[in-house]
Amino acid sequence: MLDPHESPEPYDSFLARHAPFIRVLMTIGPSPISAEFLERLPVLELIVATSAGLNHIDLPACWSRGIVVTNASLAFAEDVADCAVGLLIDVLRRISAADRFVRGRLWPVKENYPLGFKLGGKRVGIVGLGSIGSEVAKRLLAFGCTIAYTSRNKKQSVSFPFYANVRDLAANSDVLVLCCALTKETYHMINKDVMVALGKDGVIINVGRGSLINEKELVQCLVGGDMGGAGLDVYENEPNVPKELFGLDNVVLSPHCAVMTPESFEA
């Protein structure tokens, strides 16, 4: 194991000295792996990513060299799915907002707290029915939700309705849960048209990547009352979150921590 951060040698010198012998590269978190960086590792055969997403790795450059890339989505799938369902319940039942209501000592003053919404019976559209999306579906079926999905390909192993594009999925859903990878094709796939199709009571949960959503248009729809709410674990410009969201009780925010459990790291 070669760790440049534990060596007193300057990084570039350390890498140049070991590069002719490095066959496996392990990336910790979203460290960018560009084509230029890969050129410095002439005998590289394998990249082991410790993240679920791979948008920080230049995959075409890897494919052109025959470099195999792995990710950790199976290890993280259950915990990320738990977080997605937790965010959804929180948005619908206004749990975080209710906590603020009580802590702010508003209960004795206002008495009545706004109604929440039932999870059971909701039509949930899952964007990306991979390992994480499948775990989300399993959990929401137990709550009595109906599931549909869009993905790169129709899954022959499931009977859920499949939609070829996300707008059609949104038009037939009460909730969208985003679990897919960020690619050139999925960048800003959730735009105003999709949000309008989802409807004024619609909810978006994002445990994928922030740039799956056009964040500016999401803020506009939420502030303008054109959507029912959102539960967000990821953002376009982390750790910066649009300040317009801070005052909205129908929005639940978490700091990109869906995978952050001791159990997932052990896995």
Side-chain angles (χ1 to χ4, degrees), residues 77-97 117 119 135-136 139-140 143 175 177 203-207 230-233 250-254 257-258:
E78 293 185 349
D79 291 318
V80 175
D82 287 348
C83 183
V85 173
L87 286 170
L88 177 56
I89 293 173
D90 196 339
V91 173
L92 291 176
R93 297 306 306 267
R94 307 178 188 271
I95 295 171
S96 290
F117 297 91
L119 175 57
E135 291 292 338
V136 172
R139 284 154 176 72
L140 291 178
F143 279 98
V175 176
V177 181
V203 172
I204 290 176
I205 304 298
N206 191 4
V207 292
L232 308 173
D233 184 55
N250 60 340
V251 177
V252 179
L253 307 170
S254 65
C257 62

Side-chain angles (χ1 to χ4, degrees), residues 135-215:
E135 291 292 338
V136 172
K138 183 195 302 183
R139 284 154 176 72
L140 291 178
L141 283 172
F143 279 98
C145 298
T146 57
I147 306 296
Y149 74 100
T150 187
S151 210
R152 277 175 294 189
N153 302 297
K154 186 175 182 179
K155 311 286 184 181
Q156 301 302 322
S157 57
V158 300
S159 58
F160 305 137
F162 169 76
Y163 291 88
N165 66 76
V166 71
R167 190 188 182 283
D168 289 345
L169 178 66
N172 290 278
S173 300
D174 303 307
V175 176
L176 287 182
V177 181
L178 312 185
C179 306
C180 64
L182 177 62
T183 65
K184 290 180 180 178
E185 292 73 30
T186 61
Y187 175 79
H188 280 190
M189 70 186 304
I190 308 299
N191 54 27
K192 186 174 182 179
D193 287 345
V194 173
M195 298 173 207
V196 170
L198 187 60
K200 292 182 76 70
D201 295 324
V203 172
I204 290 176
I205 304 298
N206 191 4
V207 292
R209 285 290 184 269
S211 293
L212 295 172
I213 301 177
N214 184 321
E215 199 166 77

